[in-house]
DNA sequence: TATTGTTATACTCTATAACTATA
DNA sequence: TATAGTTATAGAGTATAACAATA
């Protein structure tokens, strides 16, 4: 199925990378392409968001708290597959710039419920506006259907990720 | 085009992630899905390659040197978009376990040409064998044409990455 | 003057472990 | 006994900057 549109953007097989280095077997490793794509997006993100001092993960946490007011740190850590201590550091940074605030839960006094502040909302809006250009820069290379298909492929890759914790490609 | 197969694996929109956290706008960010996919692949890689102590990047460098005997550190750094000092550290690790060796170039005595040793070849073979299962675990979720299409999509994302340096998703 | 490799250094992100306070 | 948060710490990976040797 869909064999009709598979090879149409083969783009001259990138056997070298500006220098004369051949990729060889690396060409066949899904994770290799995935990582390069990730790097490309991350670099563009950094250039675009320069000055905002908001990493992709911080941005994600900010959005998650906005979408889920009162969420706990552990909720977020699980969602983003991070350690709770790592999330602590991340939340501290956002709190340090008054983007979010902690409020002790009344039902369970162990929990700190997280909320986006006025400043945080402004930051999120600024970030979203900047990010729009960044996002468009990549999505413009695809039709709407292609984006949907790419995302569905990516979901197929991370779908089964049962539990686990942790970092990024790490490397 | 290809609208026919776009939504077919929608998989119940992952609005939550085991906890009740809704992803919200994050759903529409390409980099978010890319990163989760990257994390999933990396985690599986780590579990699969446990004990080998060979990170994906070290593995990539080993393969690159095998494919390009005599390549220099700067060649590899450019290819993988890393800093030359970072590549130095990486090469040191591989040399430290006798997987590769440096030989001063006779034409240009500034250059250190890199070669895979016997031990390195054995390591690469072991790694390739282990990795095969890891790779299959993900590729099995796609038809051959789908893999080709996914890779072509990913290439479209990192294609234009002109120069730049650096890390991974960083985050 | 530019390039390759090198070293030293600092920074960021992450995890682990131990602790507290609640439950 | 388990959970949420916290703190301190250590490790890995990376970049920056300065320097040596060579081109």
């Amino acid at each position: 199925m869909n064999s009709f549109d598979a090879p149409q953007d083969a783009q001259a097989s990138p056997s070298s990378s500006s220098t004369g280095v051949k990729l060889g077997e690396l060409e066949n490793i899904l994770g290799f392409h995935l990582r390069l794509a990730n790097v490309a997006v991350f670099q563009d993100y950094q250039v675009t968001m320069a000055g905002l001092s908001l990493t992709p993960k911080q941005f994600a946490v900010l959005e998650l708290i906005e979408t889920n007011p009162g969420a706990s740190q552990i909720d977020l850590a699980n969602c983003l597959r991070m350690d709770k201590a790592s999330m602590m550091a991340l939340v501290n940074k956002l709190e340090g710039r008054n983007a979010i605030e902690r409020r002790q839960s009344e039902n369970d006094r162990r929990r700190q419920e997280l909320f986006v502040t006025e400043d945080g909302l402004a930051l999120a809006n600024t970030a979203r506006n900047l990010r729009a250009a960044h996002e468009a820069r990549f999505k413009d290379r695809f039709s709407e259907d292609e984006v949907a298909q790419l995302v569905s492929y990516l979901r197929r890759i991370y779908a089964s990720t049962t539990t686990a914790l942790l970092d990024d490609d790490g490397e």
Side-chain angles (χ1 to χ4, degrees), chain A:
Chain A
M1 50 189 85
N2 19 329
S3 57
F4 69 98
D5 61 356
Q8 74 194 8
D9 49 358
Q11 66 177 239
S13 105
S15 55
S16 63
S17 182
S18 79
T19 64
V21 179
K22 291 177 202 146
L23 298 183
E25 276 307 303
L26 254 31
E27 288 279 355
N28 302 319
I29 302 182
L30 209 49
F32 184 74
H33 297 285
L34 216 38
R35 195 171 65 74
L36 284 182
N38 212 39
V39 170
V41 170
F42 176 65
Q43 289 179 340
D44 188 274
Y45 175 95
Q46 284 213 308
V47 171
T48 308
M49 311 292 266
L52 256 198
S53 292
L54 197 67
T55 69
K57 244 175 201 165
Q58 289 170 354
F59 180 78
V61 166
L62 193 56
E63 286 243 47
L64 284 175
I65 298 175
E66 195 179 336
T67 304
N68 306 273
S72 72
Q73 294 176 190
I74 284 217
D75 290 340
L76 301 179
N78 291 338
C79 181
L80 296 180
R81 286 164 187 131
M82 293 171 62
D83 183 83
K84 63 180 180 174
S86 306
M87 180 56 71
M88 179 78 188
L90 206 166
V91 166
N92 281 345
K93 278 220 166 159
L94 288 176
E95 191 192 36
R97 64 199 285 187
N98 296 317
I100 62 175
E101 60 182 16
R102 293 173 159 106
R103 295 184 210 155
Q104 192 176 50
S105 166
E106 295 182 349
N107 304 326
D108 181 345
R109 300 218 304 282
R110 288 172 304 182
R111 290 171 68 96
Q112 294 280 24
E113 300 178 341
L114 301 171
F115 296 91
V116 174
T117 64
E118 285 300 311
D119 284 4
L121 197 59
L123 176 61
N125 285 328
T126 304
R128 271 189 287 266
N129 286 337
L130 279 180
R131 193 211 60 208
H134 156 73
E135 191 70 10
R137 208 141 38 230
F138 290 97
K139 283 194 175 153
D140 281 358
R141 304 176 190 180
F142 302 93
S143 72
E144 223 170 277
D145 287 337
E146 285 174 332
V147 170
Q149 194 175 17
L150 170 56
V151 169
S152 88
Y153 284 163
L154 294 176
R155 279 211 179 102
R156 228 187 277 183
I157 288 177
Y158 67 76
S160 66
T161 307
T162 47
T163 323
L165 337 139
L166 175 353
D167 159 276
D168 302 68
D169 95 345
E171 342 203 354

